[in-house]
Amino acid sequence: MEIYLVGGAVRDELLGRPIRERDWVVVGATTQRMLDLGYRQVGKDFPVFLHPQSKDEYALARTERKSGPGHKGFVTHAEADVSLEDDLRRRDLTINAIAKAADGTLIDPWGGQVDLAKRVLRHVSDAFVEDPLRVFRVARFAALLPDFVVAAETRALLRSMCTAGALAELPAERVWNEMERALSGAAPARFFQVLDDCGGLDHWFTELRTHVGGVDRLFGELTDPLDRFGVMGKLLSADTAARLCGRLKAPSDAARLIEQVARHGAMLAQWRSLSPGAVYEVAHACGGLRQPEWFERVGRVVGTDVGPIVRAITSVTSAAFIERGLEGKALGAALDAARIAAIAAMLTARS
């Protein structure tokens, strides 16, 4: 039984990048052997185990064979006779197919170290085409590693997979996950640029096909993946943003943000030139009355400071109006009028 550090941890160590998690592959073991050693099995599709102390993931070396459509259409063989080289052969990119032994020796049968030095994203083998999610993984790595280029042969393979319609069979949640991780990268626009190059926008990101050239200019100083997704609303109408979110099954906060930016962003960006009533309306529409922190996020994404609006609105409380006996619609109308007046005073003071 031999244990090797594999995948992203080895890659990032060689690149001098922080290691966020460690994955291990176990060669020459069986499920029963791992259980006898105190590991806890968590994998359903193939044997993955948690270390009894560190809780790191340890997977039995395995091979996979495509047996049907979809990301689950694989037959997995994970037994003691699977070699380390067999396991590394099934991985996506050469830079992710390097293993490290306990004594520090690197096992690199597919040239991953050479591609790291050359800054190249290259597929390991033709088995790459069996998992269409790898199209999005390559695009994600392009976003995370901005000085890497996609190898010509890998670009051709990506195009063939997209042309064959393979991406349509993927679950929306997995596509969203790859995009979200890409949006945390140093060059998030590259995710969409790589997909555009290979035809990968056609099914999942249809609304962005004509806007890829403008995506890079949007992100600016934004670093939060949610903000970066939301700012793309500047390129879309509210309806197209809603369609994109529906197809991707976007989380509610992401859908809300991009749709609000699409619908109200242009007006919000010029709030200083609007009437007090219009400012109040757009603030109301973007959550400014009940969720000022959310409204400030919308403002940040749009690129404007809405703090003065928030302070004007929150300076008006209901207590005095309730003491006067107002309630229901009358109370609401009085609060609206007072808040608009506070915004008017703020605009006047700033002019």
Side-chain angles (χ1 to χ4, degrees), residues 15 22-23 36 75 81 90 134 154 199 207 209 225 246 253 256 271 280 292-293 301-303 326 338 344 349-350:
L15 288 173
R22 288 174 168 82
D23 294 318
D36 290 344
V75 173
D81 61 345
R90 68 171 179 78
R134 288 176 168 178
T154 302
E207 292 77 13
R209 283 183 303 182
D253 277 357
R256 181 187 180 194
W271 65 264
Y280 184 63
E293 289 184 1
V301 170
V302 169
L326 295 179
R350 294 177 65 88

Side-chain angles (χ1 to χ4, degrees), residues 5-12 23 88 91 95-99:
L5 183 66
V6 294
V10 180
R11 177 199 69 231
D12 289 342
D23 294 318
L88 295 176
R91 296 177 182 268
I95 64 172
N96 297 329
I98 308 170

Side-chain angles (χ1 to χ4, degrees), residues 40-79:
R40 182 167 65 87
Q41 185 170 356
V42 294
K44 296 180 180 180
D45 299 327
F46 52 84
V48 177
F49 305 83
L50 296 182
H51 189 280
Q53 279 80 47
S54 71
K55 307 305 179 184
D56 285 349
E57 287 192 357
Y58 288 69
L60 295 185
R62 67 186 189 272
T63 60
E64 294 175 336
R65 177 174 55 83
K66 190 71 172 173
S67 61
H71 68 289
K72 294 184 178 181
F74 290 90
V75 173
T76 300
H77 177 68
E79 298 295 341

Side-chain angles (χ1 to χ4, degrees), residues 15-17 47 72 75 115 123 128 154 185 195 224 265 282 316 351:
L15 288 173
R17 291 163 53 90
K72 294 184 178 181
V75 173
D115 284 339
H123 65 284
F128 181 97
T154 302
L195 291 178
D224 188 294
V282 72
V316 178
S351 62

Side-chain angles (χ1 to χ4, degrees), residues 8-307:
V10 180
R11 177 199 69 231
D12 289 342
E13 182 179 11
L14 293 174
L15 288 173
R17 291 163 53 90
I19 298 174
R20 292 179 173 81
E21 59 184 9
R22 288 174 168 82
D23 294 318
W24 307 83
V25 65
V26 184
V27 178
T30 63
T31 295
Q32 190 58 52
R33 172 66 171 155
M34 298 296 286
L35 295 175
D36 290 344
L37 290 171
Y39 289 78
R40 182 167 65 87
Q41 185 170 356
V42 294
K44 296 180 180 180
D45 299 327
F46 52 84
V48 177
F49 305 83
L50 296 182
H51 189 280
Q53 279 80 47
S54 71
K55 307 305 179 184
D56 285 349
E57 287 192 357
Y58 288 69
L60 295 185
R62 67 186 189 272
T63 60
E64 294 175 336
R65 177 174 55 83
K66 190 71 172 173
S67 61
H71 68 289
K72 294 184 178 181
F74 290 90
V75 173
T76 300
H77 177 68
E79 298 295 341
D81 61 345
V82 179
S83 70
L84 177 62
E85 288 74 13
D86 289 336
D87 182 89
L88 295 176
R89 183 185 295 115
R90 68 171 179 78
R91 296 177 182 268
D92 52 5
L93 299 173
T94 59
I95 64 172
N96 297 329
I98 308 170
K100 183 179 180 181
D103 63 0
T105 301
L106 295 176
I107 298 89
D108 181 18
W110 310 108
Q113 293 176 87
V114 172
D115 284 339
L116 281 175
K118 292 183 176 180
R119 298 299 195 256
V120 174
L121 302 174
R122 190 190 317 275
H123 65 284
V124 172
S125 71
D126 288 342
F128 181 97
V129 302
E130 294 180 350
D131 185 358
L133 187 68
R134 288 176 168 178
V135 172
F136 295 106
R137 283 178 58 82
V138 172
R140 167 164 63 89
F141 281 113
L144 298 178
L145 303 170
D147 56 341
F148 279 63
V149 298
V150 183
E153 62 269 31
T154 302
R155 290 172 62 192
L157 201 60
L158 296 178
R159 290 191 190 104
S160 69
M161 294 169 70
C162 294
T163 300
L167 274 59
E169 67 187 46
L170 291 169
E173 293 81 2
R174 301 193 76 193
V175 176
W176 173 268
N177 183 58
E178 293 297 324
M179 182 203 65
E180 184 177 40
R181 296 172 73 179
L183 288 176
S184 69
R190 293 195 74 204
F191 177 81
F192 303 100
Q193 292 162 357
V194 169
L195 291 178
D196 184 48
D197 179 67
C198 68
L201 294 176
D202 288 350
H203 181 77
W204 290 99
F205 299 97
T206 305
E207 292 77 13
L208 295 175
R209 283 183 303 182
T210 59
H211 300 291
V212 172
V215 169
D216 196 27
R217 297 190 296 272
L218 291 176
F219 298 123
E221 300 300 316
L222 298 174
T223 58
D224 188 294
L226 175 59
D227 290 352
R228 286 175 164 181
F229 179 71
V231 77
M232 291 190 290
K234 289 184 175 182
L235 302 173
L236 307 172
S237 69
D239 289 343
T240 55
R243 285 200 298 272
L244 176 66
C245 291
R247 187 183 309 113
L248 291 171
K249 296 184 179 178
S252 58
D253 277 357
R256 181 187 180 194
L257 183 60
I258 194 172
E259 290 179 40
Q260 286 182 345
V261 171
R263 189 180 302 277
H264 305 291
M267 180 177 289
L268 188 60
Q270 56 178 348
W271 65 264
R272 293 170 180 83
S273 63
L274 300 179
S275 69
V279 172
Y280 184 63
E281 286 182 11
V282 72
H284 194 305
C286 295
L289 273 64
R290 300 182 182 277
Q291 296 177 296
E293 289 184 1
W294 176 265
F295 180 42
E296 290 181 335
R297 177 189 286 272
V298 178
R300 179 174 69 246
V301 170
V302 169
T304 187
D305 178 16
V306 299

